[in-house]
Amino acid sequence: NEAQYLLGLKPLFNRNEVGIDIKVKELYPYINQLPNVKNGVPEALLELSEIMTAVHPNDAKAFAIYADILYYTGNPMEALTQYHKTLELDNSVYSVWEQVLIVNETLGRFDEVIKMSENAMDYFPNQAFIFYMNGMGYNRTGDYEDAIDALEQAMMMSGSDEVMKAKIHSELGVSYFGDKDIKRSNKNFEAALALDANNLSALNNYSYYLALQGNDLAKAEKLIKKADNLAPNQATIQDTYGFILYKSKKYNDAEKWFRKALDNGGNMNYVILEHYGDVLYQLNRTDEAVTYWQKAKKLGSTSKKLDKKIAERKIFE
């Protein structure tokens, strides 16, 4: 029994004279399989890694391992705390900075993505990923000019890494759309897909922005259908699919896709909630529509248009 075996190592892990590298070597085969491990193994890994931080309080490696296990067992906020302790002890390990940025992005903490990526630049001034994340952070906070600057820097550093170049082009597509330069936006999305035809971010964002423009809904639907085939059951992709159908005035089909998005976690996303309210309104279900608009407002939407929808109980496109 793997969990019993790991818990049997507790006396070893509690001994300070046993080197941390020996302990880490015991944990790594199981960490590399997370979250696909047997029952009891995640709990055993958490217990052993926490013991390591107590027995080796001045070793950054102990906190980094504990943070990794917390993250891959579904505790991202606590993982961030441990990653920050790792950086306090040793800020020279690039992979730890990378994880901090990824976790903050996953949690939607884009101000932190900007802050931590700019801190990381001081130590790793030639890492394209850090500048890419900085640009992404600025995109999500609506500062498109700073996003473009960071992403252009990332592009110069990306060398021959076509996967990274595709990601950067996709984010530049977001930046230029936000900056109302539609021609450059579309050009960057096309460049992203030319480099990586299966880039989910490019497929999703490009199709969404095409739907917003309303001038090529057939192409938008083709792109999002491909994204959904590549990554089924993703709320953001399902929401985009619904939005494209909504813009095509296929309200019954759109409602089904928004409902799928809600069932896959979109009920915690105010954009998806507002979209669902919109389609309910178009289906003459006004009371339900207002309920979902109110849910979107409660989750943090600051849209003035949403306030008007709630107040006047109707849509303002």
Side-chain angles (χ1 to χ4, degrees):
N1 183 296
E2 292 177 336
Q4 286 181 356
Y5 168 73
L6 287 167
L7 291 174
L9 298 174
K10 282 171 67 175
L12 176 79
F13 274 65
N14 273 302
R15 290 170 59 185
N16 186 58
E17 65 271 22
V18 176
I20 191 169
D21 288 336
I22 294 173
K23 297 170 182 175
V24 170
K25 188 176 179 181
E26 288 287 345
L27 298 182
Y28 251 120
Y30 303 97
I31 296 172
N32 288 337
Q33 295 175 48
L34 285 171
N36 302 312
V37 290
K38 295 178 182 177
N39 288 339
V41 172
E43 293 78 8
L45 291 172
L46 284 168
E47 189 171 348
L48 291 174
S49 57
E50 188 173 10
I51 289 170
M52 279 201 308
T53 64
V55 175
H56 305 279
N58 298 313
D59 196 314
K61 193 180 295 180
F63 291 92
I65 293 294
Y66 187 27
D68 285 346
I69 294 170
L70 283 164
Y71 179 65
Y72 290 112
T73 53
N75 296 285
M77 282 303 298
E78 181 56 30
L80 270 181
T81 300
Q82 302 305 321
Y83 282 129
H84 281 290
K85 287 181 182 177
T86 306
L87 293 175
E88 287 171 13
L89 291 168
D90 183 2
N91 56 24
S92 68
V93 181
Y94 170 71
S95 61
V96 176
W97 287 98
E98 192 174 85
Q99 276 298 103
V100 167
L101 295 176
I102 290 169
V103 177
N104 276 307
E105 184 219 341
T106 301
L107 293 170
R109 292 158 50 97
F110 296 110
D111 287 334
E112 279 296 301
V113 171
I114 293 168
K115 175 186 167 186
M116 295 307 295
S117 59
E118 288 177 353
N119 289 342
M121 288 173 191
D122 293 337
Y123 303 100
F124 306 97
N126 299 312
Q127 283 288 350
F129 180 79
I130 291 172
F131 284 85
Y132 163 75
M133 292 298 286
N134 186 250
M136 175 187 285
Y138 278 123
N139 266 344
R140 301 304 180 271
T141 55
D143 191 342
Y144 301 114
E145 289 187 11
D146 281 341
I148 291 167
D149 287 343
L151 292 166
E152 292 291 0
Q153 290 255 52
M155 189 67 77
M156 286 191 289
M157 297 171 187
S158 60
S160 59
D161 186 344
E162 292 195 347
V163 173
M164 177 55 70
K165 283 181 183 293
K167 289 180 178 179
I168 296 166
H169 275 300
S170 181
E171 279 301 313
L172 281 168
V174 175
S175 304
Y176 282 116
F177 190 89
D179 213 28
K180 304 202 179 344
D181 189 338
I182 305 303
K183 187 175 179 181
R184 280 192 178 182
S185 174
N186 291 349
K187 184 178 179 182
N188 273 283
F189 282 127
E190 293 286 357
L193 293 173
L195 288 166
D196 180 6
N198 295 331
N199 184 297
L200 285 177
S201 175
L203 289 166
N204 185 57
N205 288 331
Y206 192 19
S207 57
Y208 186 78
Y209 290 141
L210 285 171
L212 277 175
Q213 296 167 54
N215 57 7
D216 201 342
L217 292 170
K219 181 174 182 177
E221 189 170 352
K222 181 180 177 183
L223 291 171
I224 202 61
K225 186 174 183 179
K226 180 175 183 178
D228 182 64
N229 287 335
L230 289 168
N233 302 321
Q234 283 202 15
T236 53
I237 290 172
Q238 291 169 332
D239 173 62
T240 299
Y241 211 144
F243 184 71
I244 293 164
L245 293 167
Y246 176 88
K247 296 294 281 188
S248 304
K249 302 190 185 306
K250 299 175 183 176
Y251 299 127
N252 285 307
D253 291 337
E255 192 270 341
K256 291 174 186 174
W257 280 95
F258 288 137
R259 171 52 64 185
K260 287 181 183 182
L262 292 173
D263 290 343
N264 283 307
N267 60 322
M268 297 305 294
N269 183 312
Y270 61 75
V271 174
I272 297 175
L273 288 167
E274 183 176 356
H275 284 166
Y276 191 57
D278 291 351
V279 79
L280 290 174
Y281 177 83
Q282 299 291 3
L283 292 169
N284 298 315
R285 294 158 62 182
T286 304
D287 289 341
E288 292 177 79
V290 172
T291 297
Y292 277 91
W293 291 337
Q294 289 170 335
K295 287 180 179 181
K297 177 72 176 174
K298 191 174 180 180
L299 272 181
S301 175
T302 58
S303 166
K304 295 282 193 295
K305 188 182 287 187
L306 177 62
D307 291 339
K308 199 172 179 183
K309 289 178 186 176
I310 294 169
E312 301 193 26
R313 294 174 59 85
K314 63 181 182 180
I315 280 206
F316 298 88
E317 297 287 6

